[in-house]
């Protein structure tokens, strides 16, 4: 066997939340107590599922049109790019999203706070990025909702995003927030990201150029996945030139 | 080298992941009826020993020849010999914290340092209360010598901790792989 030259994804420092974040009570019994063991990135870690078109349904990228009637609420367009941290777009990567309806209610058996379900809104979306790493969803702006973490606790409006990237190492599940949400100050999930700059990267940007007159407000949300410092096509000698 | 962009932080999958993430074919790394296939089943537990009923387990693995149909495998992307082999499994946990993945045993893998990795599955666990996924590996109980020579298993000195990575044969001809997020039986988790 010749020497295997694999991509190397440098470790991220100070980006992700600590699993032990006591203000978010759900972490108490679920965060490992032992420090994680270093796992060198080998073949299983630098590869990953490349899942394509077969996973998408007809209206998976338009959450307002999945039922007989239109979904209630403020219609919005959420778009952006999926990049690695070297700025390289990630094409043909599967994005899955889910969210509450305009009143802040999820279509889910464990969500039964007194806000109505919308018969015309499921809150499920899927799409693939294009060749430039771009994606777009049409949906409605989700409402804020209460939860039982502490007294009078409300989650800021958010959309859940799940991304594969191109390797097991790049897998990411996150939440997209909206600009200037007054509920940020009291939300332990948003604030579990300790670094201010990193936290700001969870907030979408109002994008007037994506707003459509008399139709929908535009929001831009770029997602940056950790990138490889070298590609497998570069030899060890060339690494010195980077 | 140019300045790198800041990465998007992880956030918890939350309790409502079932709206989109479970797929009808999610648990099937290989199609039902594939020769040599078996179920990996297990339960996810919290620090009280209570089942985690709102989690999601994902697996990723090589095919039985130890190959990946992926451009970043320097040996070349290789179509698997098994029709419909996906390499990827996904299952939400149920009311007892249980999950199940139908798969085949992956082959051993060459490592970049000239050693050989024993057959394994990479495993991610997502759940409400986990602000980022946790990552572990599942190894096979019948690979005693290969497991002893595996560079990742060999890096773990504590035999009890090491044993959390090795599945246990069950009565149905499959394997059991329980995951303990916290506590005395805590699974060995990895930082990638």
């Amino acid at each position: 066997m010749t020497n295997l030259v694999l991509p190397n994804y440098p470790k991220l420092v100070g980006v992700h939340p600590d699993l032990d974040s006591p203000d978010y009570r759900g972490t108490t019994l679920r965060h490992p107590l032992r420090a994680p063991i270093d796992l060198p990135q080998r073949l299983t870690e630098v590869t990953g599922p490349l899942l394509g078109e077969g996973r998408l349904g007809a209206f998976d990228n338009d959450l307002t049109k999945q039922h007989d009637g239109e979904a209630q609420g403020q219609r919005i367009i959420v778009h952006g790019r999926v990049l690695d941290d070297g700025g390289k777009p990630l094409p043909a990567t599967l994005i899955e999203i889910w969210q509450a309806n305009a009143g802040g209610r999820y279509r889910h058996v464990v969500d039964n706070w007194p806000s109505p379900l919308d018969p015309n809104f499921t809150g499920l979306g899927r799409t693939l990025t294009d060749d430039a790493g771009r994606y777009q969803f049409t949906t409605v702006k989700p409402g804020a909702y209460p939860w039982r973490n502490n007294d009078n606790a409300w989650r800021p409006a958010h959309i859940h995003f799940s991304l594969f990237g191109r390797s097991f190492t790049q897998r990411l599940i996150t939440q997209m927030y909206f600009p200037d949400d007054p509920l940020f100050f009291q939300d332990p999930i948003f604030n579990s990201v300790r670094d201010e700059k990193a936290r700001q990267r969870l907030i979408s940007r109002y994008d007037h150029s994506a707003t459509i007159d008399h139709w929908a407000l535009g929001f831009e949300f770029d997602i940056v996945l950790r990138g490889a410092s070298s590609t497998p096509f570069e030899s060890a000698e060339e690494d010195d030139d980077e | 080298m140019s300045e790198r962009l800041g990465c998007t932080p992880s956030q918890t999958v939350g309790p409502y992941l079932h709206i989109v993430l479970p797929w009808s074919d999610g648990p099937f790394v290989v199609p039902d009826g594939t020769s040599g296939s078996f179920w990996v089943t297990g339960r996810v537990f919290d620090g009280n020993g209570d089942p985690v009923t709102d989690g999601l387990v994902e697996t990723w693995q090589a095919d039985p020849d130890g190959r990946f149909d992926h451009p970043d495998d320097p040996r070349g992307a290789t179509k698997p010999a098994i029709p419909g082999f996906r390499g990827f499994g996904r299952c939400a946990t149920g009311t007892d914290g249980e999950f199940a993945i139908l798969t085949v045993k992956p082959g051993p893998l060459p490592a970049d340092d000239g050693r050989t990795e024993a057959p394994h599955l990479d495993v991610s666990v997502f759940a409400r209360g986990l602000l980022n996924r946790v990552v572990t590996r599942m190894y096979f109980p019948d690979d005693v010598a290969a497991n002893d020579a595996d560079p990742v298993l060999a890096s773990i000195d504590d035999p009890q901790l090491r044993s959390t990575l090795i599945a246990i044969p069950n009565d149905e001809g499959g394997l059991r792989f329980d995951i303990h997020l916290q506590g005395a039986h805590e699974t060995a988790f990895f930082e990638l």
Side-chain angles (χ1 to χ4, degrees), chain A residues 78-82 133-136 219-223:
Chain A
V78 177
H79 77 107
R81 290 180 301 165
V82 181
R134 294 185 188 282
Y135 73 91
Q136 180 169 309
F219 291 89
E220 184 182 37
F221 183 56
D222 287 344
I223 299 149

Side-chain angles (χ1 to χ4, degrees), chain B residues 27 29 74 78 99 121 136 150 168:
Chain B
V29 175
T78 308
F99 67 91
L121 277 56
T136 186
D150 179 84
I168 298 167

Side-chain angles (χ1 to χ4, degrees), chain A residues 95-235:
Chain A
I95 304 178
E96 297 166 288
I97 67 168
W98 66 104
Q99 64 167 92
N101 69 20
R105 175 90 182 264
Y106 284 90
R107 182 172 289 282
H108 191 286
V109 326
V110 305
D111 188 9
N112 34 46
W113 77 285
S115 178
L117 284 170
D118 177 351
N120 291 313
F121 191 75
T122 304
L124 163 166
R126 298 186 185 95
T127 197
L128 288 177
T129 56
D130 69 11
D131 290 346
R134 294 185 188 282
Y135 73 91
Q136 180 169 309
F137 290 103
T138 302
T139 183
V140 296
K141 189 175 179 195
Y145 61 85
W147 62 313
R148 291 190 171 81
N149 189 70
N150 51 280
D151 188 44
N152 206 17
W154 292 76
R155 294 295 332 277
H158 61 273
I159 299 176
H160 295 266
F161 274 71
S162 168
L163 297 105
F164 285 94
R166 66 186 275 132
S167 66
F168 182 81
T169 303
Q170 285 185 320
R171 180 89 176 92
L172 180 74
I173 291 182
T174 189
Q175 299 178 25
M176 182 202 99
Y177 298 89
F178 291 86
D180 304 319
D181 195 310
L183 295 167
F184 286 147
F185 80 96
Q186 52 83 67
D187 183 49
I189 294 179
F190 175 71
N191 290 300
S192 69
V193 178
R194 298 293 178 197
D195 180 70
E196 167 72 18
K197 281 183 168 168
R199 202 160 58 237
Q200 295 301 317
R201 295 198 288 272
L202 294 171
I203 306 173
S204 58
R205 180 182 73 87
Y206 171 68
D207 182 2
H208 200 63
S209 71
T211 293
I212 300 171
D213 189 19
H214 285 77
W215 186 250
L217 295 175
F219 291 89
E220 184 182 37
F221 183 56
D222 287 344
I223 299 149
V224 180
L225 304 179
R226 58 192 295 200
S229 59
S230 67
T231 75
F233 307 108
E234 293 168 325
S235 72

